[in-house]
Amino acid sequence: MDVNRLDLLRELSERGSVTAVAEATGRTPSAVSQQLKVLEREAGMPLTARSGRGIVLTSAGQALARSAADVAIALERAAALWDEFRNHPSGEVTLLTFPTIGAALLPSVLTDLAQVAGLNVLCTDLDPELEEFADHTGDYDIVLAHTMPGVLPWGGRGLRAIPLLTEPLDIGLPADHRLAGRAHVTAADLVDETWLGVPMGYPFERILHEVEQQAGTRMHVSQRFSDMRIIEAFIEAGLGIAFVPRYTSGPVSAGVVLKPLRGVASARQIVALVRPDVAERLAVRTVLDVLVDRAARLESARAAA
């Protein structure tokens, strides 16, 4: 069987439609359908079946798609072994980040990787809702994602998740706030406060719900932003309080103080998501190694500050 046709079948199993496969691979839908029909003849049995206006994989198609993933991993492993033999992790690695970890981590990562001849890391940023992170692994080699401890929205996708940071989320207060002198705060301390929230569905929202459960009342959320710079500006102006990441938010202004939250699990886990075949590339592994190293340094430096 042709490896490229097998890869199209795998893409279909992951993306769900011929149109999506065509867009991802730079083909027309008719070209994709034609290649899948050729693969079906090679296999000697139906691999797809009609479902409404689209198609779905048959049980045979699903089995062959899993085999296609194994083939892709084996091919990437063979290429990685050759790269290791040449001792040259060259090529382009694409990386998707979300803003806070991108600002805190990527400048030092790319500075380190600039010493690796022939390696080009192309980064872009996006701040999707929690469930969307894993979807981007089909289009980027590495996706930096965050979630609450114990919550794995990408579970069952067959992705590799490399831990980078477990980051506490502190309570950001105006410097002249009544609680600014405390060593820490509790949910009960925050009952009458005005909150600055994140868009509904974002990870921090889950922790606010836990604060409400601990306090036994709903909290008043006056504004919602996805950009931490806006949130910190509103805190400094005395317009509310909010969760602020301890390590990746960078130095806060003199008008904002951060206080640990006691009694509520207030942290997020930051990981690098990679498809298993992509993870076999030496260039990708080189980038991941530097990400892990720089994340450890960031955590150590901010914890000591």
Side-chain angles (χ1 to χ4, degrees):
M1 295 181 186
D2 183 83
V3 171
N4 293 325
R5 295 188 190 107
L6 284 172
D7 195 58
L8 286 179
L9 188 69
R10 183 186 67 154
E11 291 286 352
L12 179 60
S13 71
E14 294 179 354
R15 298 181 184 274
S17 73
V18 168
T19 299
V21 174
E23 291 176 353
T25 61
R27 295 175 169 87
T28 64
S30 61
V32 172
S33 297
Q34 183 179 12
Q35 290 299 304
L36 290 173
K37 289 178 181 177
V38 173
L39 180 62
E40 198 166 59
R41 288 198 298 269
E42 292 175 343
M45 62 180 61
L47 301 177
T48 62
R50 285 286 174 187
S51 177
R53 300 179 65 181
I55 61 173
V56 296
L57 294 182
T58 63
S59 57
Q62 292 171 358
L64 191 57
R66 290 192 294 270
S67 297
D70 293 337
V71 169
I73 292 171
L75 289 173
E76 290 289 355
R77 185 177 292 122
L81 288 172
W82 178 244
D83 285 340
E84 287 177 339
F85 179 78
R86 294 168 57 208
N87 194 28
H88 191 56
S90 61
E92 182 178 272
V93 175
T94 56
L95 185 150
L96 178 67
T97 184
F98 57 94
T100 51
I101 192 64
L105 195 60
L106 291 186
S108 60
V109 168
L110 265 63
T111 298
D112 289 350
L113 291 171
Q115 310 304 315
V116 182
L119 177 61
N120 180 36
V121 183
L122 184 61
C123 304
T124 189
D125 73 294
L126 188 66
D127 201 2
E129 293 185 6
L130 186 62
E131 290 78 9
E132 294 181 357
F133 281 119
D135 294 341
H136 296 293
T137 54
D139 301 306
Y140 296 88
D141 296 319
I142 300 171
V143 174
L144 302 186
H146 61 120
T147 184
M148 300 299 101
V151 179
L152 296 176
W154 44 80
R157 300 283 293 264
L159 299 173
R160 294 185 186 175
I162 294 88
L164 298 178
L165 284 172
T166 297
E167 180 176 34
L169 301 175
D170 295 325
I171 301 298
L173 306 168
D176 59 356
H177 194 276
R178 62 183 177 85
L179 300 173
R182 299 274 192 92
H184 62 269
V185 295
T186 66
D189 296 326
L190 307 175
V191 166
D192 296 324
E193 297 294 328
T194 296
W195 283 79
L196 304 166
V198 293
M200 299 296 288
Y202 275 45
F204 294 7
E205 187 72 11
R206 296 171 182 263
I207 303 179
L208 181 58
H209 292 330
E210 293 184 20
V211 171
E212 291 175 333
Q213 290 181 350
Q214 285 283 333
T217 186
R218 292 292 300 272
M219 300 295 177
H220 172 58
V221 179
S222 63
Q223 307 286 347
R224 294 183 179 274
F225 302 106
S226 61
D227 192 321
M228 287 306 305
R229 293 170 299 180
I230 299 176
I231 289 176
E232 289 178 25
F234 271 59
I235 295 172
E236 186 173 14
L239 297 173
I241 68 172
F243 292 111
V244 178
R246 184 179 299 176
Y247 303 144
T248 60
S249 61
V252 296
S253 71
V256 177
V257 296
L258 303 183
K259 297 298 174 181
L261 177 62
R262 292 284 179 86
V264 176
S266 179
R268 66 174 175 179
Q269 291 181 334
I270 300 173
V271 302
L273 298 177
V274 192
R275 282 166 54 163
D277 56 315
V278 173
E280 295 295 333
R281 290 174 53 200
L282 180 57
V284 172
R285 297 207 311 274
T286 299
V287 176
L288 289 172
D289 287 344
V290 176
L291 279 168
V292 170
D293 176 68
R294 278 296 178 176
R297 293 195 204 185
L298 173 65
E299 185 172 13
S300 178
R302 296 288 166 84

